[in-house]
Amino acid sequence: MSIFAWIETFEGKASPTSWEALGAAKSLATSLNTDVTAVILGQGATDIASEAGAYGADNALVCDDTTLEPYRLEPYAALLSQLVSEHNPKAVVAVASTSGRELLASSAADTNSGMIGDVTELSIDGDDLIAVRPAYAGKVTSTVKASGATTFVTLRGRAFPTPEKGTGTATVTQVSPVLAADDITTQIESLESESESVSLTDAAIVISAGRGMANNPNAAPADAADATVWKAQDGFANVIQPLADTLGAAVGASRAAVDAGYIPYEHQIGQTGKVVNPDLYIAAGISGAIQHQAGMRGSKVIVAVNKDAEAPIFKLARYGVVEDLYDFLPALTAELKKR
Ligand code: FAD
């Protein structure tokens, strides 16, 4: 009756937020007086198992087979479901990344188990698993009790602390893939992201911008004889990105900015975009619609920059700046660069 933690890997490295899942699994295991098993699949899995030991895993089930690279749901779910059927863990925990959500949901269905998604607190009461998760776009939180044999749980990124890295080692068991290469029908064509240098869901600081990027009071009118046509995309490149680079932040956006084509969808924060949980969230030129809040209201400190003092984002913000973002943000970047 171990606790499983799925360690997500990409190009031979563990995703940093996977260690949060391992830490949460360790807390459950301690309450149940049992051990934690890291499930590590894909390229570099054996090396990552040593790291998992240092972060607190007692055991590691490892499969470094080429059929598991890159990540695809079919071979991963087949193998995870088999491991769950063989070991009957009390819980399978992973971060609620895109892959974590689909893998755990699929494997929960395969093994006829329960599933709780996007959890922000996790504990044990007797034999039951108690999970707290946001509902209705973050307006309320619900507490869910799971008493099944195995429960699959995805955790909101950065809602749980990363455990201290120690000197522990995990007992490693090599396992074999379930599907042969010929049985895997999904082919992946991978496209490099052009701009993102800091992952949004892992980022400690996120700077997001919205439709307000279209209103640059300092831009020359488009019909001026010598003006090159000014676009909101230039605002992302020349105002938001330099501030992000200065702070080591990731760049997010509202859906309005994405729909208008200022920035690609992968940057969208909100109900139909990514959910982020950074230490600092700066919202510039974003009104704060409920659907946007669904993706960022868990941020620890929120700073809003908006020229409309009545914008709803100010109700959520710890610090509010009623200013034109095109005046305030470059001045902030310049000031931060001096430090
Ligand atoms: P606006 O609401 O137009 O706000 C722009 C703000 O910029 C205003 O407050 C204005 O005062 C300010 N401003 C303008 N110029 C400047 C300037 N120069 N300097 C400073 N401030 C300035 N939205 C999301 O963000 N994410 C989602 O995932 C999402 N999912 C949705 C799902 C559904 C089913 C639906 C119906 C909607 C969804 N939306 C989502 C859309 C959401 O309802 C809002 O329309 C959207 O968030 C508004 O984006 P915005 O704040 O950038 O634009």
Side-chain angles (χ1 to χ4, degrees):
M1 180 67 72
S2 182
I3 306 288
F4 275 14
W6 178 57
I7 307 301
E8 186 169 350
T9 64
F10 182 67
E11 294 182 346
K13 293 206 169 76
S15 92
T17 45
S18 289
W19 305 127
E20 297 167 17
L22 186 64
K26 186 84 181 170
S27 305
L28 291 184
T30 306
S31 305
L32 287 168
N33 205 16
T34 183
D35 50 22
V36 175
T37 300
V39 178
I40 311 170
L41 315 178
Q43 183 194 338
T46 309
D47 290 341
I48 296 169
S50 323
E51 224 181 335
Y55 278 113
D58 302 293
N59 314 301
L61 295 171
V62 161
C63 186
D64 204 338
D65 195 85
T66 50
T67 54
L68 296 169
E69 198 61 38
Y71 167 86
R72 276 145 308 150
L73 178 62
E74 282 172 285
Y76 273 64
L79 182 49
L80 180 60
S81 301
Q82 177 167 298
L83 294 173
V84 168
S85 302
E86 283 170 7
H87 295 262
N88 295 313
K90 176 73 184 164
V92 181
V93 182
V95 167
S97 61
T98 308
S99 310
R101 288 197 303 249
E102 70 165 4
L103 174 62
L104 266 63
S106 176
S107 200
D110 285 349
T111 55
N112 209 14
S113 306
M115 162 94 197
I116 312 172
D118 203 22
V119 167
T120 53
E121 292 172 40
L122 195 56
S123 58
I124 292 286
D125 180 16
D127 277 343
D128 298 331
L129 210 63
I130 308 293
V132 175
R133 63 183 301 277
Y136 298 109
K139 278 283 187 192
V140 296
T141 52
S142 61
T143 301
V144 184
K145 181 158 106 172
S147 37
T150 299
T151 304
F152 287 70
V153 183
T154 60
L155 308 180
R156 183 169 280 203
R158 296 180 48 80
F160 291 81
T162 304
E164 293 283 316
K165 204 170 180 180
T167 53
T169 50
T171 306
V172 177
T173 306
Q174 300 285 342
V175 296
S176 304
V178 172
L179 297 184
D182 290 349
D183 297 329
I184 303 167
T185 54
T186 317
Q187 301 295 323
I188 299 277
E189 185 187 346
S190 125
L191 302 172
E192 290 288 318
S193 165
E194 279 174 16
S195 57
E196 190 67 19
S197 51
V198 182
S199 150
L200 259 176
T201 37
D202 296 342
I205 305 176
V206 173
I207 159 112
S208 282
R211 202 187 326 250
M213 292 309 293
N215 301 323
N216 181 354
N218 311 319
D223 58 358
D226 58 349
T228 47
V229 176
W230 182 87
K231 303 192 200 78
Q233 288 92 316
D234 303 337
F236 270 97
N238 300 330
V239 174
I240 303 299
Q241 193 62 53
L243 177 57
D245 292 343
T246 308
L247 289 169
V251 175
S254 71
R255 177 161 159 180
V258 170
D259 286 352
Y262 306 159
I263 188 163
Y265 168 71
E266 69 205 58
H267 295 265
Q268 184 176 316
I269 309 285
Q271 188 178 323
T272 44
K274 292 197 167 103
V275 175
V276 295
N277 222 0
D279 297 332
L280 173 63
Y281 187 88
I282 304 175
I286 291 179
S287 60
I290 180 75
Q291 295 89 353
H292 187 76
Q293 292 186 21
M296 46 65 76
R297 64 182 304 143
S299 307
K300 290 172 190 70
V301 174
I302 296 168
V303 176
V305 184
N306 196 305
K307 59 184 189 177
D308 174 10
E310 301 300 318
I313 190 77
F314 286 122
K315 294 206 176 82
L316 213 59
R318 176 147 354 146
Y319 302 101
V321 180
V322 183
E323 277 266 18
D324 197 298
L325 70 91
Y326 280 100
D327 293 329
F328 179 72
L329 295 184
L332 176 64
T333 307
E335 191 57 40
L336 289 169
K337 277 189 173 158
K338 288 185 203 158
R339 295 171 188 224

PDB file of all heavy atoms in Angstrom, residues 9-13 41-45 48 63-72 75-76 184 186-188:
ATOM      1  N   THR A   9       8.895  13.751 -16.981  1.00  0.00           N
ATOM      2  CA  THR A   9      10.229  14.009 -17.523  1.00  0.00           C
ATOM      3  C   THR A   9      10.111  14.651 -18.901  1.00  0.00           C
ATOM      4  O   THR A   9       9.116  14.464 -19.605  1.00  0.00           O
ATOM      5  CB  THR A   9      11.042  12.707 -17.667  1.00  0.00           C
ATOM      6  OG1 THR A   9      10.396  11.869 -18.623  1.00  0.00           O
ATOM      7  CG2 THR A   9      11.157  11.969 -16.346  1.00  0.00           C
ATOM      8  N   PHE A  10      11.128  15.411 -19.252  1.00  0.00           N
ATOM      9  CA  PHE A  10      11.192  16.001 -20.595  1.00  0.00           C
ATOM     10  C   PHE A  10      12.659  16.058 -20.988  1.00  0.00           C
ATOM     11  O   PHE A  10      13.482  16.634 -20.274  1.00  0.00           O
ATOM     12  CB  PHE A  10      10.564  17.405 -20.607  1.00  0.00           C
ATOM     13  CG  PHE A  10      10.564  18.038 -21.969  1.00  0.00           C
ATOM     14  CD1 PHE A  10       9.777  17.508 -22.986  1.00  0.00           C
ATOM     15  CD2 PHE A  10      11.366  19.134 -22.237  1.00  0.00           C
ATOM     16  CE1 PHE A  10       9.794  18.088 -24.257  1.00  0.00           C
ATOM     17  CE2 PHE A  10      11.386  19.716 -23.496  1.00  0.00           C
ATOM     18  CZ  PHE A  10      10.590  19.190 -24.513  1.00  0.00           C
ATOM     19  N   GLU A  11      12.970  15.413 -22.110  1.00  0.00           N
ATOM     20  CA  GLU A  11      14.338  15.384 -22.633  1.00  0.00           C
ATOM     21  C   GLU A  11      15.349  15.012 -21.540  1.00  0.00           C
ATOM     22  O   GLU A  11      16.364  15.678 -21.337  1.00  0.00           O
ATOM     23  CB  GLU A  11      14.689  16.719 -23.287  1.00  0.00           C
ATOM     24  CG  GLU A  11      13.847  16.952 -24.530  1.00  0.00           C
ATOM     25  CD  GLU A  11      14.172  18.235 -25.269  1.00  0.00           C
ATOM     26  OE1 GLU A  11      14.865  19.098 -24.706  1.00  0.00           O
ATOM     27  OE2 GLU A  11      13.715  18.352 -26.421  1.00  0.00           O
ATOM     28  N   GLY A  12      15.025  13.964 -20.794  1.00  0.00           N
ATOM     29  CA  GLY A  12      15.984  13.416 -19.844  1.00  0.00           C
ATOM     30  C   GLY A  12      16.045  14.125 -18.512  1.00  0.00           C
ATOM     31  O   GLY A  12      16.900  13.816 -17.675  1.00  0.00           O
ATOM     32  N   LYS A  13      15.145  15.092 -18.284  1.00  0.00           N
ATOM     33  CA  LYS A  13      15.161  15.802 -16.987  1.00  0.00           C
ATOM     34  C   LYS A  13      13.780  15.737 -16.359  1.00  0.00           C
ATOM     35  O   LYS A  13      12.767  15.688 -17.062  1.00  0.00           O
ATOM     36  CB  LYS A  13      15.528  17.269 -17.195  1.00  0.00           C
ATOM     37  CG  LYS A  13      16.939  17.498 -17.672  1.00  0.00           C
ATOM     38  CD  LYS A  13      17.391  18.902 -17.241  1.00  0.00           C
ATOM     39  CE  LYS A  13      18.872  19.099 -17.441  1.00  0.00           C
ATOM     40  NZ  LYS A  13      19.247  19.313 -18.828  1.00  0.00           N
ATOM     41  N   LEU A  41       9.292   7.359 -16.046  1.00  0.00           N
ATOM     42  CA  LEU A  41       9.259   6.717 -17.362  1.00  0.00           C
ATOM     43  C   LEU A  41       9.920   7.636 -18.385  1.00  0.00           C
ATOM     44  O   LEU A  41       9.773   8.854 -18.317  1.00  0.00           O
ATOM     45  CB  LEU A  41       7.804   6.441 -17.779  1.00  0.00           C
ATOM     46  CG  LEU A  41       6.893   5.825 -16.697  1.00  0.00           C
ATOM     47  CD1 LEU A  41       5.473   5.649 -17.233  1.00  0.00           C
ATOM     48  CD2 LEU A  41       7.443   4.496 -16.197  1.00  0.00           C
ATOM     49  N   GLY A  42      10.610   7.049 -19.340  1.00  0.00           N
ATOM     50  CA  GLY A  42      11.203   7.841 -20.421  1.00  0.00           C
ATOM     51  C   GLY A  42      12.702   7.994 -20.277  1.00  0.00           C
ATOM     52  O   GLY A  42      13.325   7.493 -19.339  1.00  0.00           O
ATOM     53  N   GLN A  43      13.250   8.754 -21.246  1.00  0.00           N
ATOM     54  CA  GLN A  43      14.706   8.940 -21.345  1.00  0.00           C
ATOM     55  C   GLN A  43      15.309   9.472 -20.034  1.00  0.00           C
ATOM     56  O   GLN A  43      14.772  10.391 -19.433  1.00  0.00           O
ATOM     57  CB  GLN A  43      14.943   9.960 -22.467  1.00  0.00           C
ATOM     58  CG  GLN A  43      16.367  10.256 -22.781  1.00  0.00           C
ATOM     59  CD  GLN A  43      16.459  11.520 -23.664  1.00  0.00           C
ATOM     60  OE1 GLN A  43      15.514  11.905 -24.339  1.00  0.00           O
ATOM     61  NE2 GLN A  43      17.610  12.142 -23.636  1.00  0.00           N
ATOM     62  N   GLY A  44      16.381   8.867 -19.597  1.00  0.00           N
ATOM     63  CA  GLY A  44      17.088   9.346 -18.391  1.00  0.00           C
ATOM     64  C   GLY A  44      16.445   8.911 -17.089  1.00  0.00           C
ATOM     65  O   GLY A  44      16.832   9.379 -16.007  1.00  0.00           O
ATOM     66  N   ALA A  45      15.460   7.998 -17.165  1.00  0.00           N
ATOM     67  CA  ALA A  45      14.691   7.641 -15.958  1.00  0.00           C
ATOM     68  C   ALA A  45      15.590   7.107 -14.838  1.00  0.00           C
ATOM     69  O   ALA A  45      15.378   7.418 -13.664  1.00  0.00           O
ATOM     70  CB  ALA A  45      13.612   6.622 -16.310  1.00  0.00           C
ATOM     71  N   ILE A  48      17.322   9.931 -13.122  1.00  0.00           N
ATOM     72  CA  ILE A  48      16.349  10.744 -12.379  1.00  0.00           C
ATOM     73  C   ILE A  48      15.953  10.028 -11.084  1.00  0.00           C
ATOM     74  O   ILE A  48      15.634  10.669 -10.082  1.00  0.00           O
ATOM     75  CB  ILE A  48      15.127  11.065 -13.275  1.00  0.00           C
ATOM     76  CG1 ILE A  48      15.564  11.933 -14.454  1.00  0.00           C
ATOM     77  CG2 ILE A  48      14.029  11.780 -12.491  1.00  0.00           C
ATOM     78  CD1 ILE A  48      14.535  12.098 -15.535  1.00  0.00           C
ATOM     79  N   CYS A  63      11.418   2.974 -16.116  1.00  0.00           N
ATOM     80  CA  CYS A  63      11.437   2.379 -17.460  1.00  0.00           C
ATOM     81  C   CYS A  63      12.017   3.403 -18.423  1.00  0.00           C
ATOM     82  O   CYS A  63      11.420   4.453 -18.666  1.00  0.00           O
ATOM     83  CB  CYS A  63      10.029   1.966 -17.889  1.00  0.00           C
ATOM     84  SG  CYS A  63      10.051   1.071 -19.456  1.00  0.00           S
ATOM     85  N   ASP A  64      13.197   3.085 -18.937  1.00  0.00           N
ATOM     86  CA  ASP A  64      13.957   4.001 -19.790  1.00  0.00           C
ATOM     87  C   ASP A  64      13.826   3.590 -21.258  1.00  0.00           C
ATOM     88  O   ASP A  64      14.668   3.926 -22.073  1.00  0.00           O
ATOM     89  CB  ASP A  64      15.429   3.917 -19.339  1.00  0.00           C
ATOM     90  CG  ASP A  64      16.194   5.160 -19.697  1.00  0.00           C
ATOM     91  OD1 ASP A  64      15.744   5.858 -20.610  1.00  0.00           O
ATOM     92  OD2 ASP A  64      17.246   5.416 -19.087  1.00  0.00           O
ATOM     93  N   ASP A  65      12.772   2.845 -21.615  1.00  0.00           N
ATOM     94  CA  ASP A  65      12.662   2.265 -22.950  1.00  0.00           C
ATOM     95  C   ASP A  65      12.413   3.352 -24.008  1.00  0.00           C
ATOM     96  O   ASP A  65      11.726   4.339 -23.745  1.00  0.00           O
ATOM     97  CB  ASP A  65      11.492   1.266 -22.944  1.00  0.00           C
ATOM     98  CG  ASP A  65      11.533   0.366 -24.150  1.00  0.00           C
ATOM     99  OD1 ASP A  65      12.244  -0.646 -24.100  1.00  0.00           O
ATOM    100  OD2 ASP A  65      10.875   0.708 -25.159  1.00  0.00           O
ATOM    101  N   THR A  66      12.955   3.140 -25.215  1.00  0.00           N
ATOM    102  CA  THR A  66      12.819   4.148 -26.274  1.00  0.00           C
ATOM    103  C   THR A  66      11.356   4.352 -26.702  1.00  0.00           C
ATOM    104  O   THR A  66      11.005   5.407 -27.215  1.00  0.00           O
ATOM    105  CB  THR A  66      13.619   3.740 -27.529  1.00  0.00           C
ATOM    106  OG1 THR A  66      13.263   2.388 -27.846  1.00  0.00           O
ATOM    107  CG2 THR A  66      15.099   3.845 -27.311  1.00  0.00           C
ATOM    108  N   THR A  67      10.503   3.354 -26.468  1.00  0.00           N
ATOM    109  CA  THR A  67       9.087   3.509 -26.853  1.00  0.00           C
ATOM    110  C   THR A  67       8.387   4.562 -25.985  1.00  0.00           C
ATOM    111  O   THR A  67       7.274   4.980 -26.291  1.00  0.00           O
ATOM    112  CB  THR A  67       8.312   2.179 -26.689  1.00  0.00           C
ATOM    113  OG1 THR A  67       8.494   1.716 -25.347  1.00  0.00           O
ATOM    114  CG2 THR A  67       8.780   1.124 -27.659  1.00  0.00           C
ATOM    115  N   LEU A  68       9.033   4.986 -24.896  1.00  0.00           N
ATOM    116  CA  LEU A  68       8.404   5.969 -24.003  1.00  0.00           C
ATOM    117  C   LEU A  68       8.908   7.387 -24.275  1.00  0.00           C
ATOM    118  O   LEU A  68       8.688   8.302 -23.482  1.00  0.00           O
ATOM    119  CB  LEU A  68       8.667   5.589 -22.547  1.00  0.00           C
ATOM    120  CG  LEU A  68       8.034   4.262 -22.133  1.00  0.00           C
ATOM    121  CD1 LEU A  68       8.537   3.816 -20.773  1.00  0.00           C
ATOM    122  CD2 LEU A  68       6.512   4.370 -22.114  1.00  0.00           C
ATOM    123  N   GLU A  69       9.600   7.546 -25.371  1.00  0.00           N
ATOM    124  CA  GLU A  69      10.153   8.867 -25.692  1.00  0.00           C
ATOM    125  C   GLU A  69       9.707   9.272 -27.091  1.00  0.00           C
ATOM    126  O   GLU A  69       9.910   8.495 -28.034  1.00  0.00           O
ATOM    127  CB  GLU A  69      11.673   8.804 -25.608  1.00  0.00           C
ATOM    128  CG  GLU A  69      12.359  10.130 -25.481  1.00  0.00           C
ATOM    129  CD  GLU A  69      11.957  10.904 -24.227  1.00  0.00           C
ATOM    130  OE1 GLU A  69      11.762  10.310 -23.150  1.00  0.00           O
ATOM    131  OE2 GLU A  69      11.808  12.116 -24.365  1.00  0.00           O
ATOM    132  N   PRO A  70       9.057  10.429 -27.330  1.00  0.00           N
ATOM    133  CA  PRO A  70       8.634  11.366 -26.310  1.00  0.00           C
ATOM    134  C   PRO A  70       7.361  10.890 -25.622  1.00  0.00           C
ATOM    135  O   PRO A  70       6.809   9.847 -26.003  1.00  0.00           O
ATOM    136  CB  PRO A  70       8.353  12.640 -27.116  1.00  0.00           C
ATOM    137  CG  PRO A  70       7.874  12.136 -28.440  1.00  0.00           C
ATOM    138  CD  PRO A  70       8.644  10.861 -28.678  1.00  0.00           C
ATOM    139  N   TYR A  71       6.907  11.684 -24.641  1.00  0.00           N
ATOM    140  CA  TYR A  71       5.685  11.328 -23.909  1.00  0.00           C
ATOM    141  C   TYR A  71       4.503  11.181 -24.869  1.00  0.00           C
ATOM    142  O   TYR A  71       4.277  12.035 -25.724  1.00  0.00           O
ATOM    143  CB  TYR A  71       5.350  12.436 -22.883  1.00  0.00           C
ATOM    144  CG  TYR A  71       3.944  12.286 -22.333  1.00  0.00           C
ATOM    145  CD1 TYR A  71       3.694  11.469 -21.246  1.00  0.00           C
ATOM    146  CD2 TYR A  71       2.870  12.948 -22.935  1.00  0.00           C
ATOM    147  CE1 TYR A  71       2.400  11.302 -20.768  1.00  0.00           C
ATOM    148  CE2 TYR A  71       1.574  12.790 -22.456  1.00  0.00           C
ATOM    149  CZ  TYR A  71       1.357  11.960 -21.380  1.00  0.00           C
ATOM    150  OH  TYR A  71       0.076  11.793 -20.912  1.00  0.00           O
ATOM    151  N   ARG A  72       3.793  10.069 -24.778  1.00  0.00           N
ATOM    152  CA  ARG A  72       2.485   9.893 -25.432  1.00  0.00           C
ATOM    153  C   ARG A  72       1.583   9.146 -24.452  1.00  0.00           C
ATOM    154  O   ARG A  72       2.059   8.276 -23.705  1.00  0.00           O
ATOM    155  CB  ARG A  72       2.602   9.078 -26.727  1.00  0.00           C
ATOM    156  CG  ARG A  72       2.999   9.928 -27.936  1.00  0.00           C
ATOM    157  CD  ARG A  72       3.875   9.176 -28.881  1.00  0.00           C
ATOM    158  NE  ARG A  72       5.006   8.612 -28.155  1.00  0.00           N
ATOM    159  CZ  ARG A  72       5.610   7.497 -28.499  1.00  0.00           C
ATOM    160  NH1 ARG A  72       5.235   6.823 -29.543  1.00  0.00           N
ATOM    161  NH2 ARG A  72       6.613   7.028 -27.775  1.00  0.00           N
ATOM    162  N   PRO A  75       1.328   4.643 -24.454  1.00  0.00           N
ATOM    163  CA  PRO A  75       2.268   3.767 -23.743  1.00  0.00           C
ATOM    164  C   PRO A  75       2.399   4.101 -22.266  1.00  0.00           C
ATOM    165  O   PRO A  75       2.611   3.213 -21.438  1.00  0.00           O
ATOM    166  CB  PRO A  75       3.597   3.989 -24.478  1.00  0.00           C
ATOM    167  CG  PRO A  75       3.479   5.298 -25.152  1.00  0.00           C
ATOM    168  CD  PRO A  75       2.023   5.473 -25.470  1.00  0.00           C
ATOM    169  N   TYR A  76       2.270   5.388 -21.922  1.00  0.00           N
ATOM    170  CA  TYR A  76       2.401   5.785 -20.518  1.00  0.00           C
ATOM    171  C   TYR A  76       1.225   5.258 -19.694  1.00  0.00           C
ATOM    172  O   TYR A  76       1.406   4.714 -18.598  1.00  0.00           O
ATOM    173  CB  TYR A  76       2.496   7.314 -20.396  1.00  0.00           C
ATOM    174  CG  TYR A  76       3.908   7.842 -20.519  1.00  0.00           C
ATOM    175  CD1 TYR A  76       4.618   7.690 -21.710  1.00  0.00           C
ATOM    176  CD2 TYR A  76       4.538   8.483 -19.466  1.00  0.00           C
ATOM    177  CE1 TYR A  76       5.916   8.171 -21.829  1.00  0.00           C
ATOM    178  CE2 TYR A  76       5.835   8.960 -19.576  1.00  0.00           C
ATOM    179  CZ  TYR A  76       6.516   8.801 -20.761  1.00  0.00           C
ATOM    180  OH  TYR A  76       7.804   9.266 -20.867  1.00  0.00           O
ATOM    181  N   ILE A 184       1.849   1.364 -30.824  1.00  0.00           N
ATOM    182  CA  ILE A 184       1.589   2.767 -30.443  1.00  0.00           C
ATOM    183  C   ILE A 184       1.235   3.548 -31.705  1.00  0.00           C
ATOM    184  O   ILE A 184       2.067   3.693 -32.603  1.00  0.00           O
ATOM    185  CB  ILE A 184       2.828   3.383 -29.750  1.00  0.00           C
ATOM    186  CG1 ILE A 184       3.217   2.535 -28.532  1.00  0.00           C
ATOM    187  CG2 ILE A 184       2.559   4.826 -29.341  1.00  0.00           C
ATOM    188  CD1 ILE A 184       4.583   2.853 -27.962  1.00  0.00           C
ATOM    189  N   THR A 186       0.015   6.777 -31.847  1.00  0.00           N
ATOM    190  CA  THR A 186       0.190   8.238 -31.810  1.00  0.00           C
ATOM    191  C   THR A 186       1.601   8.617 -32.256  1.00  0.00           C
ATOM    192  O   THR A 186       2.577   8.096 -31.724  1.00  0.00           O
ATOM    193  CB  THR A 186       0.009   8.773 -30.367  1.00  0.00           C
ATOM    194  OG1 THR A 186      -1.105   8.129 -29.789  1.00  0.00           O
ATOM    195  CG2 THR A 186      -0.152  10.270 -30.339  1.00  0.00           C
ATOM    196  N   GLN A 187       1.687   9.485 -33.232  1.00  0.00           N
ATOM    197  CA  GLN A 187       2.973  10.028 -33.661  1.00  0.00           C
ATOM    198  C   GLN A 187       3.038  11.477 -33.206  1.00  0.00           C
ATOM    199  O   GLN A 187       2.047  12.198 -33.289  1.00  0.00           O
ATOM    200  CB  GLN A 187       3.091   9.988 -35.199  1.00  0.00           C
ATOM    201  CG  GLN A 187       2.973   8.599 -35.797  1.00  0.00           C
ATOM    202  CD  GLN A 187       4.126   7.694 -35.369  1.00  0.00           C
ATOM    203  OE1 GLN A 187       5.251   8.140 -35.242  1.00  0.00           O
ATOM    204  NE2 GLN A 187       3.815   6.428 -35.130  1.00  0.00           N
ATOM    205  N   ILE A 188       4.187  11.899 -32.739  1.00  0.00           N
ATOM    206  CA  ILE A 188       4.314  13.284 -32.248  1.00  0.00           C
ATOM    207  C   ILE A 188       5.194  14.068 -33.209  1.00  0.00           C
ATOM    208  O   ILE A 188       6.301  13.643 -33.529  1.00  0.00           O
ATOM    209  CB  ILE A 188       4.991  13.326 -30.859  1.00  0.00           C
ATOM    210  CG1 ILE A 188       4.163  12.556 -29.837  1.00  0.00           C
ATOM    211  CG2 ILE A 188       5.274  14.746 -30.409  1.00  0.00           C
ATOM    212  CD1 ILE A 188       3.025  13.305 -29.235  1.00  0.00           C
TER     213      ILE A 188
END
